[in-house]
Amino acid sequence: MTQPEMLTIGAFARACRLSPKALRLYDELDLLRPARVDPDTGYRYYAAEQLEQARLVAWLRRLGMPLARIRQVGAMEPPAAAQEIRAFWARVEAETAARRDLATFLVDHLSTPPRKDTTPMTGTDLLELRYAARTDIGLVRAANQDTAYAGSRVLAVADGFGPGGAPASTAAVEALKFLDAEPLTAGSVLNLLEDAVQGAAQAVRDIAGTEYGKTGDEVTDDIGTTLTAMVWTGSRLALVHIGDSRAYLLRDGELFLITHDHTLVQSMIDEGRLTPEEAATHPQRTLLRKALTKSPSPSPDLRLHDAQADDRYLLCSDGLTRSVPENTIKHLLTTVPDPDAATAALVEAANANGGPDNVSCVVADVVRTDGGAVNRL
């Protein structure tokens, strides 16, 4: 029988563009074993048929894929491997989106003259918020685990879960309220907001460490909260988001979703494994991939939004978005001008559709003032 063509480790390294050092490491990790090892010298030999596998490893390393995951991909049939690579890259893009937004802001901030929102504005240039918050238990739940808050600078919605969900959502929002105390600039608000979220995460961990986090003699990790919040600087809103509560912008009659759900089904939509229609009825549609829990919290989404007069923002828990179609939400935001009345109409719509969950919402309007006081509801 004809022996397969064998290549020395040096020749194989040149052919597949992996270094001999890398090949030795991949052998040790059981990622790319040589076809033969000389029993006397320990010298490695590779078959020509292994070149395709080696090149795949090299390409995946260039993508930044971890070695453990490359091992999984290498064991798959080509169609499944292609899907796994697609899923990996979708996650990379999602995880770098927030850093890309921050980099864009820093380039803009450092490359242009100071904006008006870095100093107090006067006269007709002044923009302020008119706002209202509302939370409701709904028609099915035994308790309300949501928290909603609206202040002169801080807007927030949190949706708690688990035996300590209500105190967890309250603690997360309370950790942000100090940002209401003094004027903020666009140059400092993201850092302050990130610090505040770290405080919120610690507050949730503290709640999970109390009697709420115990089932009998065991400690449970099933306690946490989502958090979607915005902080007003005078002409910009800094957004922080983790979980599946949402933020919307109504501008010039169009409604825009400005957050991205951190759920299992949304990641499957991003990866092309589910359609939005399929996700709506998926049995794991409420399973979160990111939230504030007892475990170390993953990075939240952070970004800045330029505000315009007549903008309307909605922050809401999924008790609204899972009960009320988006076109109905848009209609109510468009036709009910008063923020307090708008929150009441949104809650009423959720309960009219069965009220299967707690529902919370914050509506905030960006208004132009003459430097005087604005009526807040």
Side-chain angles (χ1 to χ4, degrees), residues 129-133 148-157 173 176 180 193 227-232 237-240 313-315 362-366:
L129 297 180
R130 238 176 36 180
Y131 48 80
Y149 173 79
S152 58
R153 294 183 181 88
V154 176
L155 315 169
V157 166
V173 172
L176 271 62
D180 251 341
L193 188 52
L227 180 62
T228 300
M230 303 189 86
V231 179
W232 176 243
L237 280 156
L239 169 70
V240 62
Y313 288 87
L314 167 66
L315 279 63
V362 171
V363 172
D365 294 339
V366 180

Side-chain angles (χ1 to χ4, degrees), residues 37-222:
V37 178
D38 188 287
D40 297 322
T41 65
Y43 211 71
R44 296 168 173 87
Y45 294 89
Y46 293 83
E49 290 79 6
Q50 292 181 281
L51 282 171
E52 187 66 25
Q53 182 186 3
R55 288 171 182 144
L56 176 61
V57 171
W59 290 330
L60 294 177
R61 287 299 290 160
R62 289 180 64 187
L63 283 180
M65 184 177 286
L67 291 174
R69 193 158 184 180
I70 292 176
R71 185 186 299 112
Q72 296 172 357
V73 172
M76 294 176 176
E77 294 297 322
Q83 184 170 336
E84 186 66 18
I85 294 168
R86 184 184 300 112
F88 168 76
W89 193 247
R91 291 193 185 99
V92 170
E93 290 183 324
E95 290 169 359
T96 57
R99 284 183 290 170
R100 182 179 62 244
D101 291 341
L102 179 57
T104 300
F105 160 70
L106 289 172
V107 170
D108 175 67
H109 178 67
L110 296 172
S111 303
T112 59
R115 297 171 51 91
K116 288 184 178 181
D117 62 358
T118 62
T119 58
M121 291 186 289
T122 60
T124 57
D125 288 329
L126 186 62
L127 297 175
E128 291 194 13
L129 297 180
R130 238 176 36 180
Y131 48 80
R134 189 176 301 266
T135 184
D136 189 87
I137 194 173
L139 304 181
V140 174
R141 301 290 190 184
N144 191 351
Q145 295 188 304
D146 284 4
T147 299
Y149 173 79
S152 58
R153 294 183 181 88
V154 176
L155 315 169
V157 166
D159 182 355
F161 54 85
S169 69
T170 299
V173 172
E174 288 291 331
L176 271 62
K177 286 186 179 179
F178 78 93
L179 295 171
D180 251 341
E182 60 184 42
L184 301 168
T185 67
S188 65
V189 68
L190 284 179
N191 286 335
L192 289 171
L193 188 52
E194 187 171 21
D195 290 343
V197 173
Q198 293 303 314
Q202 184 59 55
V204 171
R205 287 194 290 272
D206 292 342
I207 294 293
T210 66
E211 66 273 14
Y212 293 108
K214 295 181 179 179
T215 303
D217 294 329
E218 297 183 357
V219 176
T220 177
D221 285 330
D222 190 26

